[in-house]
Amino acid sequence: MSVEGEALAHGTLSEAGGPAAGAGALLAILRDGQARTRAELAQLTGLARSTVSQRLDVLINHDWIVPSEDTISSGGRPATAFAFNRGARIVLSADLGATHARLAVTDLGMAVLAERAAELPIERGPEPTLSWLVTAFEEMLAETGHPLSQICGIGIGLPGPVEHTSGRPVNPPIMPGWDDFPVPEWLGERLGAPVLVDNDVNIMALGEHWIASPEVDHLLFVKIGTGIGCGIIADRRLHRGSQGAAGDIGHIRVTSAGDALCRCGNSGCLEAVASGAAMAATLRAAGIDAAGSRDVVGLIRGGSAQAAQVIRQAGRDIGGVLAAIVNFFNPSVIVVGGDIAEAGEHVLAGVREAIYSRSLPLATQHLNIRASELGDRAGVIGAAVMVVEHVLAPGTVDQAVTAPA
């Protein structure tokens, strides 16, 4: 269903509620990047032209839309077309991993205005990590010439379970001191904007879907790094589950893991044998120097046969778990990301081998298994998408434009 069709079906474009009510649904239509006149919007929505004009005026006053440079003429006076103003606000986003962080400042169309990456161990704890984040964001805002007042929201991805409704980490195994820490409140007080927090794999799935596969209805994003996780896009929406724990495939028990101890406290987890940390440990046991995921990838690029063998087997182990998910969920695309994805076909070959040999032919008939197109930028783009989709939701826009100044 089209944007305007959905809006009409949910009643958000009804005549009731005053001129501002329904302005958010008009903005949703214009977000596709196409400029439209009052007459075109009236025809699309079925609203009176006077009502459309009132709601457009509200959006113009709040800087959400601007008159387009294009004008449309039917022989008389050219009609003014209106377009979504992507530069109306900015978004701050951060993808915090186990050992490094990537930050970005974007506009409402996901164009990156500034970007920064740094080594940042998450085990430093919440306040030192978030204090660094605030300082870095302030420096990036100064670089781009944007004041704090122009921030519409801040999106954060964390490498552990997150209760999405509260934005608080829940017993994260590699984040000492972070359990139940009020990340949104702490950051919001210092940056003066609403903060949304989610698991890092979920925001990667959002970013990859938004930029690289917007036409796909069902997509899995598998991150293979220090740990293993999966982001689930179902019917073009991120599926988090009832408590935000959906996609935690790294702690599914696999026979190949035997009694290998996992960092979660259980034994036999997929992560215990197929994560970047586990691969590095396997190579160290064989006398090869490897501290983590990036070292494993470096060995692959250097032509190490042992590293290739280890990563291929990890791909098979991960693919075995994904084969069951393919039979159950039937996605059309599986995207492999994280540090280990940089090893390219070595890991993908193992994943494909297991999935195609263990999943039903109907489920794999049109299945595309590929590496992430966004690479290490998937997280910051996805965190920005999370914020923009919240801020520009029709109901949120209606509340914003009707709120007292």
Side-chain angles (χ1 to χ4, degrees):
M1 184 181 291
S2 65
V3 172
E4 60 269 16
E6 289 184 3
L8 287 166
H10 290 87
T12 53
L13 286 176
S14 66
E15 297 276 3
L26 280 187
L27 181 62
I29 294 172
L30 292 170
R31 281 182 62 194
D32 66 0
Q34 180 180 341
R36 294 180 175 89
T37 65
R38 290 180 175 87
E40 287 174 324
L41 288 168
Q43 185 177 13
L44 276 171
T45 62
L47 297 174
R49 186 164 174 172
S50 60
T51 302
V52 169
S53 293
Q54 287 178 316
R55 295 177 183 178
L56 286 175
D57 288 343
V58 169
L59 294 174
I60 291 171
N61 290 338
H62 285 80
D63 207 27
W64 289 117
I65 63 173
V66 290
S68 172
E69 294 180 359
D70 298 327
T71 57
I72 300 173
S73 176
S74 58
R77 183 178 178 181
T80 301
F82 298 91
F84 175 48
N85 181 12
R86 297 185 172 199
R89 310 285 191 278
I90 59 167
V91 178
L92 304 182
S93 62
D95 177 17
L96 303 180
T99 59
H100 57 279
R102 182 172 289 273
L103 287 62
V105 178
T106 73
D107 65 13
L108 298 176
M110 294 325 122
V112 176
L113 309 177
E115 194 171 13
R116 181 175 297 188
E119 297 298 318
L120 186 71
I122 200 73
E123 63 185 16
R124 292 175 56 183
E127 294 199 15
T129 301
L130 297 177
S131 294
W132 177 88
L133 200 63
V134 169
T135 300
F137 276 145
E138 289 174 342
E139 292 172 355
M140 294 168 73
L141 287 171
E143 292 171 10
T144 58
H146 292 285
L148 286 171
S149 60
Q150 203 174 359
I151 303 171
C152 69
I154 302 158
I156 307 294
L158 296 176
V162 174
E163 184 183 55
H164 182 68
T165 53
S166 68
R168 297 188 175 203
V170 181
N171 296 318
I174 63 168
M175 300 170 63
W178 285 82
D179 184 35
D180 202 37
F181 187 84
V183 177
E185 294 84 356
W186 197 96
L187 276 177
E189 288 175 3
R190 287 156 179 80
L191 292 171
V195 180
L196 299 179
V197 184
D198 207 339
N199 175 268
D200 59 348
V201 187
N202 282 344
I203 63 171
M204 288 178 177
L206 279 175
E208 191 75 25
H209 183 255
W210 180 278
I211 298 296
S213 299
E215 77 291 348
V216 172
D217 291 333
H218 306 291
L219 176 148
L220 298 178
F221 186 99
V222 182
K223 179 188 177 184
I224 313 172
T226 303
I228 299 172
C230 180
I232 305 166
I233 301 293
D235 286 329
R236 302 194 184 193
R237 295 179 180 272
L238 179 64
H239 175 71
R240 296 184 174 93
S242 63
Q243 302 299 323
D248 198 0
I249 66 171
H251 301 290
I252 293 175
R253 185 174 179 85
V254 293
T255 55
S256 59
D259 294 325
L261 185 64
C262 181
R263 61 183 179 175
C264 72
N266 290 323
S267 59
C269 295
L270 174 66
E271 197 170 287
V273 292
S275 66
M279 284 185 253
T282 299
L283 290 169
R284 287 197 302 273
I288 300 173
D289 186 22
S293 301
R294 294 182 178 181
D295 292 331
V296 175
V297 173
L299 288 166
I300 289 288
R301 291 175 174 172
S304 169
Q306 279 185 286
Q309 185 177 10
V310 167
I311 203 168
R312 179 74 174 254
Q313 181 57 46
R316 293 189 190 100
D317 292 334
I318 295 167
V321 169
L322 290 175
I325 297 172
V326 166
N327 285 335
F328 177 79
F329 179 59
N330 190 202
S332 54
V333 175
I334 295 177
V335 180
V336 178
D339 287 343
I340 295 299
E342 296 180 17
E345 287 300 318
H346 290 283
V347 66
L348 288 175
V351 170
R352 290 181 181 126
E353 178 184 334
I355 288 177
Y356 287 122
S357 64
R358 300 183 190 180
S359 297
L360 295 173
L362 181 61
T364 58
Q365 185 176 8
H366 301 294
L367 179 62
N368 178 18
I369 303 171
R370 62 171 176 82
S372 169
E373 292 185 17
L374 294 183
D376 55 10
R377 299 180 81 189
V380 289
I381 296 298
V385 169
M386 176 172 63
V387 170
V388 169
E389 288 296 278
H390 171 73
V391 171
L392 296 186
T396 308
V397 172
D398 287 348
Q399 290 178 6
V401 299
T402 57

